[in-house]
Amino acid sequence: MVLVRQNTFDEMSRCAADLIAAQLKRKPKSVLGLATGSSPLGVYRRLIELYKAGEIDFSEAFTVNLDEYCGLPATHPESYARFMRENFFDHINVKPENTFIPNGNAADPDAECARYDRLIGWLGGIDLQLLGIGFNGHIGFNEPSEHFIDETHRVKLTRSTLLANGRFFPDGNPPAYAITVGMKAITRAKSVVLIAGEEKFAIVKRAFSGGVTPEIPASILLDHPNATVIYTGEEDIR
Ligand code: F6R
């Protein structure tokens, strides 16, 4: 794993977008693992610019999102399905049928989780996984716990996550549960790019200056052979 420090959110976003653009140029049929939230917004803006400038092409790419809230239909304003359409998919030439997000509204969430893992397997795994990080060190919605969970699963969101994500909901209350890919899909990704703005400096420092522990899920990337953590802050972490 390598740590790359950038001075601004914009530089961080460009740096991550360049890695994704290089991946797509190398392999147009790439399977991109994607994240939602505030962190990747600059990356998506930059990738849209590169697409509009004719530098990258998504026509053969596949995308697999990390997570979705339980109980929200894909049309809900705060669903991650809608977030992805509005902030990325509607502005590039990815085929809608090649974009995948867990169905948070599935009648049988366990069956949906199993289906999602089969889907990722059928796609041949993830080529490049883009990640943000929670204030508690979560990646996807793999929350701090006593052990890592390998498979896609339904998770009860922690208080820290509900508080952090309340800002996106008019009543301040996100759904209490979500479906998230597990650690296997993330750690088996051929490359991983984690982005963390200045407000995440403390957790980035904790996650990557100790050892691997499920209490700080992102720390699992310490063992990944091709992970790049791009963070923003005034000092080097190590
Ligand atoms: C979102 C996701 C989460 C976020 C994390 C940071 O798909 O998987 O792990 O990346 O909660 O969220 P922001 O970027 O909003 O601070």
Side-chain angles (χ1 to χ4, degrees):
M1 194 203 79
V2 295
L3 284 155
V4 176
R5 183 166 71 84
Q6 296 288 344
N7 291 317
T8 64
F9 180 82
D10 228 50
E11 284 174 19
M12 173 192 86
S13 304
R14 278 179 170 255
C15 182
D18 285 349
L19 292 174
I20 297 171
Q23 168 69 38
L24 265 182
K25 286 181 188 166
R26 244 188 340 265
K27 183 179 174 190
K29 278 186 199 308
S30 288
V31 179
L32 303 175
L34 299 179
T36 54
S38 339
S39 307
L41 284 172
V43 178
Y44 295 149
R45 275 196 295 269
R46 178 67 186 146
L47 288 172
I48 292 167
E49 271 173 25
L50 291 173
Y51 162 68
K52 291 198 166 150
E55 290 190 34
I56 49 174
D57 172 27
F58 292 88
S59 62
E60 293 184 65
F62 294 85
T63 69
V64 181
N65 263 79
L66 282 165
D67 40 25
E68 179 60 284
Y69 290 113
C70 286
L72 294 192
T75 50
H76 189 281
E78 298 311 330
S79 74
Y80 285 165
R82 172 127 170 211
F83 173 100
M84 290 307 298
R85 286 196 301 275
E86 280 183 359
N87 292 296
F88 197 33
F89 298 153
D90 285 354
H91 309 281
I92 57 171
N93 66 339
V94 68
K95 294 192 180 88
E97 64 271 27
N98 288 354
T99 65
F100 301 99
I101 299 187
N103 176 6
N105 219 15
D108 181 345
D110 290 342
E112 172 60 6
C113 293
R115 181 195 73 86
Y116 208 67
D117 278 335
R118 280 197 307 276
L119 169 78
I120 294 172
W122 177 78
L123 290 170
I126 294 165
D127 289 302
L128 184 152
Q129 176 67 58
L130 178 66
L131 295 173
I133 181 171
F135 285 103
N136 61 5
H138 73 212
I139 48 176
F141 277 138
N142 289 275
E143 298 282 36
S145 121
E146 284 169 11
H147 54 272
F148 291 117
I149 302 177
D150 277 345
E151 318 299 333
T152 296
H153 56 283
R154 181 172 174 267
V155 58
K156 186 171 179 2
L157 299 173
T158 59
R159 201 174 138 68
S160 155
T161 299
L162 294 172
L163 277 175
N165 290 7
R167 70 192 193 281
F168 297 115
F169 289 79
D171 65 357
N173 290 317
Y177 288 86
I179 289 179
T180 181
V181 300
M183 288 304 198
K184 199 163 72 187
I186 295 175
T187 54
R188 288 194 183 167
K190 294 178 190 79
S191 63
V192 176
V193 177
L194 184 147
I195 46 174
E198 216 173 334
E199 73 287 1
K200 302 284 173 51
F201 185 80
I203 186 62
V204 170
K205 192 167 178 174
R206 274 182 62 214
F208 303 120
S209 46
V212 173
T213 165
E215 281 160 25
I216 313 177
S219 65
I220 203 165
L221 300 179
L222 283 164
D223 285 344
H224 194 286
N226 192 9
T228 307
V229 172
I230 309 169
Y231 67 100
T232 311
E234 289 187 356
E235 54 175 279
D236 288 336
I237 282 176
R238 54 168 201 213

